[in-house]
Amino acid sequence: MLIDLRSDTVTRPTPGMKEAMFSAPIGDDVFGEDPTVNALEEKVAKLFGMEAAIFCPSGTMTNQIAIRLHTGPQREVVCHQHSHIYLYEGGGIMANSLASVKLLDGNLGKITASQVAAAINPDDVHATETALVSLENTMNKGGGSIYTLDEIKPIHALCREKGIKFHLDGARLFNALVETREKPFEWGAHFDTISICLSKGLGCPVGSILLGSKADIKRARKVRKVFGGGMRQAGFLAAAGIYALDYQVERLKEDHARAKALGQMLALLPIVSEVFPVATNIVIARLDGVTPEDFMKKLAEMDIKSVKFGPDLVRFVTHLDFIDEHLEEVGKRLGQL
Ligand SMILES: *Cc1c(COP(=O)(O)O)cnc(C)c1O
């Protein structure tokens, strides 16, 4: 039995999701005529108390559209040095927006208002204009760490005071919300734009949503077009999103419980020196005396897939298709190491 823990993107649609997809009413979304896409966009905007939303093929696209909306040449994004927008989007900040980036350090991938305050450039001919602050929740490189509302409120206040836009890469925001019990609309009140992935823990085959003001999302439609992301009968995909929001949010807690158990199993291995605190569905283990390549090879021989996440780090992500039976099986196999 192959156990794939490389990412929460490896899931297949559930039978209920497939049924929702194949029975969805569809139309041409580039003409704005796909009723299911429109319904998804309205549903998510309403959930977050934001004015509008746009459905896109990927979270890279929703983040990059947001960066394009809020920055441009000689303007700068402030974010954590391990942010997805910086590390894993192909240099898009530069390639798509001609913008600069200022990288901050911070515990478990998180930054604070005082760090942001110190990173804002002076109004000076030598400096780029600080235009955007971007956070990630949950924070992938921080081991799925969570920002709470209390942590982001002072950053929001600072951005508002300085006229700086505030974006959230919420690829896994619902993983955070099921733990904190904070409400989507409370988060919507603090950001100019929020990106949400449907294709991660929520279990959809494709799709992300960008939320923002009516004016920003109107501009986002033009940017999506030039990025090549205008899709036609996308209602088949949007239907999966609607289904996931109705039926597959609360179950994220199960992924978190299994991730905690997996973290405990890994911590028992003599070759594991540290497991990052497991807050959601991501488990990062630090190795001692063995390279990630060698460890991952041993795991692969036992039909367990993982990814290298640094010179001495390996990442495992739990998801919809990783059930208790698999967790038990992982325990048995790790015991043979
Ligand atoms: C997966 C992910 C994205 C978007 O990735 P796509 O594969 O382009 O959908 C953005 N941010 C974070 C933190 C992610 O984990």
Side-chain angles (χ1 to χ4, degrees):
M1 181 194 341
L2 176 70
I3 299 174
D4 194 344
L5 294 167
R6 287 173 301 170
S7 175
D8 44 8
T9 54
V10 300
T11 57
R12 306 291 201 277
T14 54
M17 180 178 281
K18 270 190 197 161
E19 203 178 304
M21 291 172 73
F22 284 113
S23 59
I26 51 167
D28 187 331
D29 182 51
V30 175
F31 290 115
E33 289 173 4
D34 189 305
T36 308
V37 172
N38 294 341
L40 173 66
E41 291 174 348
E42 276 163 34
K43 183 183 178 75
V44 185
K46 195 168 160 218
L47 188 61
F48 281 83
M50 294 177 86
E51 284 178 6
I54 180 171
F55 182 57
C56 291
S58 72
T60 298
M61 188 178 287
T62 44
N63 281 332
Q64 291 299 320
I65 290 174
I67 293 165
R68 177 70 155 261
L69 293 177
H70 302 314
T71 69
Q74 296 183 286
R75 307 182 79 203
E76 189 162 80
V77 186
V78 175
C79 64
H80 190 277
Q81 60 177 343
H82 295 148
S83 299
H84 194 281
I85 58 164
Y86 173 68
L87 283 184
Y88 300 125
E89 299 186 6
I93 295 171
M94 176 278 294
N96 295 318
S97 300
L98 297 174
S100 172
V101 59
K102 186 172 283 181
L103 301 173
L104 305 182
D105 199 358
N107 194 30
L108 293 176
K110 301 201 298 180
I111 58 177
T112 63
S114 61
Q115 283 179 289
V116 173
I120 296 171
N121 288 336
D123 184 8
D124 179 307
V125 70
H126 300 90
T128 56
E129 177 195 339
T130 306
L132 174 65
V133 173
S134 179
L135 302 184
E136 190 174 309
N137 193 21
T138 66
M139 178 65 189
N140 179 24
K141 275 279 192 173
S145 54
I146 294 174
Y147 275 103
T148 62
L149 272 172
D150 285 341
E151 291 170 312
I152 59 109
K153 278 177 185 168
I155 307 178
H156 176 213
L158 177 67
C159 288
R160 205 166 33 190
E161 181 199 325
K162 303 284 183 187
I164 296 167
K165 299 290 180 176
F166 198 26
H167 173 68
L168 179 66
D169 175 356
R172 297 189 179 86
L173 181 57
F174 282 105
N175 292 83
L177 298 184
V178 298
E179 289 298 325
T180 62
R181 290 288 153 205
E182 291 163 354
K183 299 281 173 262
F185 71 83
E186 296 177 280
W187 279 74
H190 289 287
F191 291 90
D192 293 290
T193 45
I194 298 180
S195 160
I196 306 276
C197 283
L198 301 167
S199 56
K200 299 268 165 88
L202 296 182
C204 297
V206 177
S208 291
I209 292 276
L210 183 67
L211 294 150
S213 68
K214 267 199 184 119
D216 275 345
I217 298 305
K218 187 174 176 209
R219 287 172 59 217
R221 290 189 191 282
K222 296 193 178 192
V223 181
R224 183 183 67 175
K225 194 78 185 91
V226 80
F227 283 1
M231 298 185 286
R232 301 297 177 173
Q233 285 72 31
F236 288 125
L237 302 173
I242 292 172
Y243 182 88
L245 290 167
D246 287 341
Y247 300 107
Q248 296 184 170
V249 174
E250 274 309 308
R251 60 148 298 282
L252 290 170
K253 288 214 84 143
E254 298 172 29
D255 295 348
H256 301 173
R258 290 186 192 107
K260 280 199 175 69
L262 177 63
Q264 285 162 4
M265 289 174 186
L266 289 163
L268 291 175
L269 300 177
I271 52 162
V272 169
S273 62
E274 178 197 4
V275 174
F276 286 29
V278 180
T280 51
N281 69 330
I282 296 178
V283 184
I284 299 178
R286 193 181 300 283
L287 304 173
D288 186 21
V290 57
T291 63
E293 285 80 3
D294 285 345
F295 182 53
M296 288 166 52
K297 193 165 163 243
K298 278 221 177 79
L299 293 177
E301 284 163 4
M302 300 189 301
D303 269 347
I304 299 172
K305 289 191 177 187
S306 54
V307 295
K308 179 175 170 175
F309 224 47
D312 58 353
L313 300 175
V314 178
R315 186 190 76 169
F316 304 82
V317 187
T318 60
H319 52 73
L320 179 63
D321 291 344
F322 178 72
I323 58 176
D324 282 335
E325 190 192 344
H326 298 124
L327 177 66
E328 224 173 276
E329 193 54 41
V330 169
K332 278 189 210 155
R333 294 181 198 177
L334 289 179
Q336 292 163 13
L337 272 176

